[in-house]
Each structure stands twice: as structure tokens, then as C-alpha cells.
Amino acid sequence: MLAFLVALAAVILFGMALPATVKYVAFMKVESSSYLKIRLDVLYSVYVVFAVAVVVRYAWAMLNAVRGVAPEEVDITKTSSGL
């Protein structure tokens, strides 16, 4: 139940912020970075990709929570790269 609520909150909040984020990134095309001379909308567009990925990821987690699929167990005693 808690997993569903957290996923729902993430989807709603990131979804509500997404239109304003896209507008802001589009607005930043008038500015460029001072040293590299790269337009800031190109630099900030990675955040739009991140926000969309978060919405998709938590929508998937919400679907799994409704279906009753438990998240994969993580063994913190194993040595790994963290990925």
C-alpha cells in the first residue's frame, strides 16, 4: 500500500511539474553558457528526459504495486558496482 502511495505521489508531482519544466527549458534557448557558448536549453533538456523517466519508472512501480509484485530483494552484503 505504501509503495503504491509513494509511486502515485511521484507520478502526480512530477507530472504536474513537467509542463512548466518544458516551458522553462524552451525559454532558456535565448541564453547560452558563458564559456562554452552552448545554448542553455540544450544543457537543461537532460532534466526533461530525467523527469519523464521518473514518471515512467514510478508508473511502472505503481502498476507492480497494484498487481502485488514485490520489489526485488537487495543483498547489501554482496560486493558490486552499485549499478
Side-chain angles (χ1 to χ4, degrees), residues 9-31:
V11 168
I12 289 173
L13 294 174
F14 272 90
M16 286 174 52
L18 195 57
T21 302
V22 171
K23 269 176 88 172
Y24 182 74
V25 169
F27 166 74
M28 291 306 289
K29 71 180 171 187
V30 298
E31 296 284 331

Side-chain angles (χ1 to χ4, degrees), residues 4-82:
F4 176 79
L5 292 176
V6 169
L8 180 65
V11 168
I12 289 173
L13 294 174
F14 272 90
M16 286 174 52
L18 195 57
T21 302
V22 171
K23 269 176 88 172
Y24 182 74
V25 169
F27 166 74
M28 291 306 289
K29 71 180 171 187
V30 298
E31 296 284 331
S32 63
S33 64
S34 56
Y35 291 108
L36 297 176
K37 302 299 183 206
I38 299 173
R39 287 186 359 212
L40 290 182
D41 65 329
V42 174
L43 293 177
Y44 290 162
S45 64
V46 70
Y47 181 75
V48 175
V49 174
F50 166 75
V52 169
V54 167
V55 169
V56 169
R57 166 67 180 98
Y58 278 100
W60 182 257
M62 195 167 46
L63 180 65
N64 281 340
V66 167
R67 291 189 320 196
V69 177
E72 183 179 326
E73 290 291 325
V74 178
D75 185 9
I76 62 171
T77 61
K78 283 186 163 182
T79 303
S80 70
S81 66

